[in-house]
Amino acid sequence: MGRSRRLNKAVSAAREYDPYTSEWLKHEFETYALLREELPIARVESRGRPERGDTGGSWLLTRYDDACSILSHTETYSSQASSYPERPWIPQAIDPPAHTAYRRILNKWFTPDAMTAMEPHLEQYAGELLDRMLEKDEFDFVADFADPFPTVIFCELFGFPLEDYAQLMDWKNTLMHSSDGHSRGRALALAKAEELGIERDADGGIPQDGLMQVFGSTGASIYAYFGELLEKRRKEPQHDMISQLVVSQYEGERPLTQEELLDTLFLMFMAGLDTVASALGLIVKGFAEQPEKRREFIELMDDPRRLMLAVEELVRYHSIVLLPRRVTRAVEFEGVRFHTEDQVNCPTMAANRDPEQFENPDELIFDRVPNRHMGFGHGPHRCLGLHLARRELRIALVLLHRRLPDYEVHPDRKPELFGGMKGASSLWLRKA
């Protein structure tokens, strides 16, 4: 294909960019590669998603170095880049210096030593889930393991009652997966819209103003729930993070306000109930479809150093996070003029496949060194829970493959994938 035709194709791809659809996943990496080569800083059209902050000009960056630069300069590229049900989430949607103070409160609970101390419990619970799942010859890996394993652990850690697991998951899926190919999220959003008296659009979906009402109502329910939990912990403290948050101090000077507590819990809820589950689903789907890579992983997984490198490579290869940023002032970036309130999107899926940073980026290379991937983000807002996520992924993958070295995607049940902060909402496997 000639240069002119490739450039025209890249312009069209940018115009049609919508990573929130499962359809996008069929060609995402080849499209990111085309844009990286022909249009690495691409103007993309808003896809009519104001709930995600798509209100001004929007840009898509596909080069690793460009993404690193954007994510490192919070004074110009703010992480407060979306619309929120109530207020910006703490600390993810707050920029330094306040972000630094909030992170300081939370960091001590997510240190490597603190997460290492949890490993026996992680192994015990993962084993219990596997016992139940592997009683069957065919099973939905997401429903039976990928969703409950990190989610229940997170609920225990933070102090969300386990009997509320189903409700918490429904709230999360309504907010995060109403229009990205996640069938449960769509069904929940439609049910909430009907409850609120919102009429469907011509395509049978929810109009944008209706979606905002759905998110607002769902967010209000979550905030009310958190408010009740905070009140209970004030009266009867437990050995959980909610109780510790209640007595925490901002910069050692004052207690956190009720709004700060609620916004922090909301961020923990949104991050803790989705990310590891999504990554696990994609990784195991990949292993089911690439048995030679699965066998290679099994051969190395008893070597701690090789296993560590392999987990990092799996996070790079199966990156899930988009990382939008809001431009706070007019600025020129690599010859392109960004305007105030523009949105700059830095998908980790694109940055982590940049051949300038990663040799043979589309290949899963378990001993890749160096591997400066941004699967956990980059800059001040790098994932708070990365030490927990690494352990959960390592333990889950090792225990699964010790118990079940051979499996395949169920031939009669197609995996259900979703876009945006992507993942698998259903992955039916059967023993091979």
Side-chain angles (χ1 to χ4, degrees):
M1 184 185 300
R3 176 66 192 278
S4 178
R5 288 183 62 192
R6 284 183 59 82
L7 180 58
N8 288 337
K9 187 176 180 181
V11 171
S12 296
R15 185 180 300 118
E16 297 168 3
Y17 177 68
D18 189 355
Y20 301 104
T21 65
S22 54
E23 183 68 23
W24 163 259
L25 301 177
K26 298 176 183 178
H27 55 77
E28 64 169 328
F29 295 117
E30 63 185 80
T31 303
Y32 282 139
L34 173 68
L35 289 167
R36 190 184 303 110
E37 183 177 340
E38 301 294 340
L39 207 61
I41 304 174
R43 178 65 180 251
V44 297
E45 293 187 3
S46 170
R47 305 303 292 174
R49 297 176 184 271
E51 78 278 7
R52 304 189 192 277
D54 301 340
T55 54
S58 191
W59 302 87
L60 174 63
L61 277 59
T62 46
R63 292 186 299 214
Y64 178 93
D65 287 344
D66 290 345
C68 287
S69 181
I70 294 294
L71 298 171
S72 299
H73 293 90
T74 57
E75 70 284 356
T76 303
Y77 306 103
S78 171
S79 65
Q80 189 175 325
S82 300
S83 299
Y84 305 93
E86 294 284 340
R87 295 170 298 275
W89 307 332
I90 295 174
Q92 193 61 27
I94 304 296
D95 296 313
H99 170 268
T100 307
Y102 290 124
R103 279 288 290 252
R104 193 175 293 121
I105 294 171
L106 298 168
N107 281 340
K108 60 180 177 290
W109 301 326
F110 291 94
T111 63
D113 287 346
M115 297 300 99
T116 297
M118 291 182 61
E119 289 192 22
H121 180 53
L122 294 176
E123 292 177 352
Q124 175 190 354
Y125 183 54
E128 292 172 1
L129 289 173
L130 289 172
D131 285 342
R132 293 195 290 269
M133 184 178 78
L134 296 180
E135 289 176 353
K136 300 173 285 188
D137 290 329
E138 53 189 49
F139 45 85
D140 185 345
F141 176 75
V142 172
D144 290 347
F145 188 92
D147 270 353
F149 174 52
T151 303
V152 169
I153 291 296
F154 185 83
C155 287
E156 292 176 342
L157 183 65
F158 241 80
F160 299 149
L162 295 184
E163 59 267 27
D164 296 337
Y165 169 80
Q167 179 63 80
L168 291 167
M169 291 294 286
D170 281 353
W171 280 334
K172 181 267 295 183
N173 286 329
T174 301
L175 285 178
M176 296 189 70
H177 302 303
S178 62
S179 56
D180 59 9
H182 191 299
S183 60
R184 177 64 176 168
R186 175 179 169 79
L188 289 165
L190 288 171
K192 173 58 72 172
E194 183 174 353
E195 176 188 323
L196 296 173
I198 298 169
E199 294 185 4
R200 300 190 186 188
D201 59 24
D203 297 323
I206 307 172
Q208 292 303 320
D209 58 347
L211 266 180
M212 295 305 292
Q213 293 179 56
V214 167
F215 296 151
S217 176
T218 303
S221 296
I222 298 170
Y223 272 90
Y225 172 82
F226 289 159
E228 292 176 4
L229 278 182
L230 288 168
E231 188 59 29
K232 289 178 181 178
R233 293 302 187 275
R234 289 189 179 100
K235 294 177 180 178
E236 298 180 15
Q238 305 290 324
H239 295 292
D240 56 40
M241 289 189 182
I242 295 178
S243 300
Q244 295 180 66
L245 266 177
V246 167
V247 297
S248 293
Q249 299 244 325
Y250 182 86
E251 294 282 58
E253 298 173 352
R254 61 168 178 81
L256 296 175
T257 67
Q258 180 74 354
E259 288 188 350
E260 287 172 322
L261 290 168
L262 289 170
D263 296 342
T264 302
L265 288 180
F266 202 96
L267 183 276
M268 295 294 111
F269 159 78
M270 293 292 280
L273 270 62
D274 208 74
T275 49
V276 173
S278 296
L280 269 176
L282 292 177
I283 289 169
V284 172
K285 174 180 177 290
F287 278 156
E289 295 171 340
Q290 296 179 285
E292 72 286 353
K293 285 296 179 182
R294 181 174 74 240
R295 288 190 288 269
E296 186 180 342
F297 177 80
I298 291 171
E299 289 175 1
L300 67 79
M301 69 185 189
D302 290 326
D303 182 320
R305 181 180 180 278
R306 296 182 70 197
L307 177 60
M308 176 190 69
L309 294 175
V311 169
E312 293 303 306
E313 174 68 350
L314 287 165
V315 172
R316 179 199 72 84
Y317 190 82
H318 294 287
S319 298
I320 63 173
V321 186
L322 291 172
L323 301 181
R325 292 295 184 263
R326 176 177 55 85
V327 180
T328 62
R329 61 183 179 86
V331 63
E332 185 171 298
F333 181 84
E334 296 294 321
V336 176
R337 187 71 173 173
F338 294 157
H339 298 283
T340 306
E341 299 302 315
D342 279 1
Q343 180 164 294
V344 180
N345 301 288
C346 302
T348 57
M349 310 80 157
N352 282 343
R353 299 287 183 110
D354 187 343
E356 292 296 318
Q357 178 67 28
F358 304 98
E359 186 176 358
N360 299 320
D362 296 320
E363 183 179 349
L364 195 56
I365 302 174
F366 289 127
D367 59 354
R368 185 184 295 276
V369 177
N371 192 352
R372 292 183 290 268
H373 69 80
M374 57 177 65
F376 295 115
H378 181 82
H381 292 89
R382 195 165 186 241
C383 176
L384 172 68
L386 64 89
H387 298 302
L388 175 59
R390 283 172 167 147
R391 283 157 178 78
E392 288 176 334
L393 290 171
R394 169 170 52 81
I395 288 168
L397 293 171
V398 168
L399 293 185
L400 169 66
H401 291 100
R402 282 179 181 161
R403 299 279 299 277
L404 185 67
D406 295 311
Y407 53 87
E408 61 187 6
V409 174
H410 196 292
D412 301 323
R413 295 174 180 262
K414 184 179 179 181
E416 182 180 276
L417 306 180
F418 56 87
M421 193 169 78
K422 66 179 187 176
S425 51
S426 179
L427 177 62
W428 276 89
L429 303 175
R430 71 176 185 182
K431 298 175 181 178

